Every structure is written in C-alpha cells, then in structure tokens.
Amino acid sequence: WKVYASPTASVKPVKVSTLHDVQPVLPAQVTKVLVDGTTSQASVLWDPITAGQLAVPGSFTITGAVDGTNVPAEATVYVRVTGAVTITSIADENVVTTVGKAPLLPSVVEATYNDGSVDNVNITVVWNEYDHELLNQPGQFTVSGKVAGTTITAKANVTVMNDTGTPVVTSITDINVTTESGTAPVLPAAVAAKYSDGTTKQAAVVWDAIDPAKYAAAGVFSVNGTVAG
C-alpha cells in the first residue's frame, strides 16, 4: 500500500450487520470523498476481526488502510441475535457534481433496522429517472429510489456546483430550541452548514415568521429558514 498526499477529505464509513459467530462480508472498496465534494472508489485492506468480537450481540468498529490516501476507512459491525429484521428507515445520500456532469449516484444506501443495526453494504437501490436539465446550472435537486424488501423510499440529494468548484452548502444541521408555552422561541442567527469541500461553518439564517398560535400551548413544531448562499 502506498501512502501519499491526495485530495481526499474523508472516507465514507462502512456499516454492516452479521449474525453472532459469523464473519461479516466487508466491501473490497470504499468511497473516498474528495475535497471538492465529489467521490471516487478505492481499494481497502481491513483489519482482521477476531472470533471474540463476533461472540456476543452488539457492535464494534474496525479500521482499514485505503489505497491512495492516508485517511483510514472505518467499519462498524453490528452483531445480531437473529436475521429476522425489518428496515425502519433509509438515510438520505448527499451527492455533489459540477454543471453539465451527471452525478455518481451510489449503488447502495444506508438502512437502519428494527433491532438498531445498520447496513450500507448490502442495501442495493434502483434510482428513478430525473430531469437532466437540472444539471445545466448550479443548484440542488432530489432523486428518489426503490430498495427491495421495503416500501420506504431512498433519496439522493444532488448538489450541482458551478464550474469554478466554489464550495456550496450540501447539508444543514437541524436546530432544537426549547421555550415555555406563550413565549416566543429565540432562534439562532446562524446554523452549522456543511460544504461540498468537507468543511463545516456557521452560516447566517433568516427564519420564517412564527404564528404565535404554534407556541401558545405545549407541543412541538418546525420552523423553516433561509441560509445565506
């Protein structure tokens, strides 16, 4: 394995489930997220898994050496009691591309099961068609997909960057605010925004007006906001 400077910002974590005493099948390749937000596949050499790690239900983490970068891969292995589980949710995928270039949509997505285990190695997805005109200018759009064995829809949030490669916002961390009934909540002036180059920064936000009826009594409600840029 050669270790040398590369434009890799991170390596997408691997999550896989197995029954106790059964060695999991780990992928031979992982997804490198480059500094411009785009991705590429690279070979990985995983650390060995011992019999003791698989002897009892639970989870553990191992690392792997990724070809072409000194950024390690990480795999979380969930040891199940039984194989009779069902999918309860599917995580959104975030994909970055540049104007005029079709996005590289992943062939697998991350699913969480009713026993708390997670798998993003064996959950294959078939993506629906989308309007390719959306690739002609910077912006964001969503592609939906189907996963066998569940009616839950997979989603890929696609960010189209301009040709200069200027980082753009790919996701925003939700804010949780608590207030007393009858008192308007105090919302922050900035939120944590993740950019296509892998960095996270505080970005100014303008919140929508809140109807006082929403906080007149105990309960939970959501407020949308517009983030600069």
Side-chain angles (χ1 to χ4, degrees):
W1 294 87
K2 295 180 180 179
V3 178
Y4 51 88
S6 75
T8 302
S10 62
V11 175
K12 186 176 179 180
V14 170
K15 300 175 183 179
V16 66
S17 301
T18 187
L19 291 174
H20 64 88
D21 297 329
V22 178
Q23 283 283 342
V25 179
L26 295 172
Q29 291 190 317
V30 289
T31 300
K32 296 193 298 184
V33 180
L34 307 183
V35 293
D36 63 358
T38 59
T39 60
S40 68
Q41 296 295 112
S43 299
V44 59
L45 180 62
W46 296 106
D47 293 341
I49 297 175
T50 66
Q53 289 174 301
L54 299 170
V56 295
S59 64
F60 60 88
T61 301
I62 63 170
T63 58
V66 181
D67 190 23
T69 179
N70 57 3
V71 179
E74 183 177 279
T76 301
V77 180
Y78 296 83
V79 182
R80 290 174 172 164
V81 177
T82 175
V85 292
T86 56
I87 294 174
T88 57
S89 65
I90 295 176
D92 287 5
E93 295 289 330
N94 295 305
V95 180
V96 177
T97 188
T98 53
V99 171
K101 183 178 179 180
L104 181 60
L105 298 177
S107 58
V108 295
V109 290
E110 180 178 302
T112 299
Y113 291 81
N114 59 337
D115 66 347
S117 62
V118 184
D119 195 328
N120 65 1
V121 175
N122 304 299
I123 313 301
T124 56
V125 57
V126 177
W127 296 106
N128 297 330
E129 291 295 324
Y130 61 91
D131 183 2
H132 286 254
E133 293 294 324
L134 296 169
L135 299 173
N136 292 337
Q137 59 185 4
Q140 292 183 314
F141 63 92
T142 299
V143 182
S144 59
K146 297 180 179 63
V147 174
T150 181
T151 58
I152 300 174
T153 300
K155 294 180 181 179
N157 302 312
V158 180
T159 298
V160 183
M161 297 193 305
N162 54 38
D163 292 327
T164 63
T166 301
V168 295
V169 176
T170 57
S171 63
I172 298 170
T173 302
D174 288 348
I175 299 295
N176 295 309
V177 177
T178 302
T179 188
E180 295 182 351
S181 57
T183 301
V186 179
L187 302 179
V191 292
K194 186 173 182 179
Y195 289 78
S196 55
D197 62 356
T199 61
T200 299
K201 303 175 184 177
Q202 291 294 308
V205 57
V206 177
W207 298 102
D208 294 348
I210 303 175
D211 183 350
K214 290 188 174 182
Y215 53 82
V220 179
F221 64 91
S222 296
V223 183
N224 293 324
T226 301
V227 176

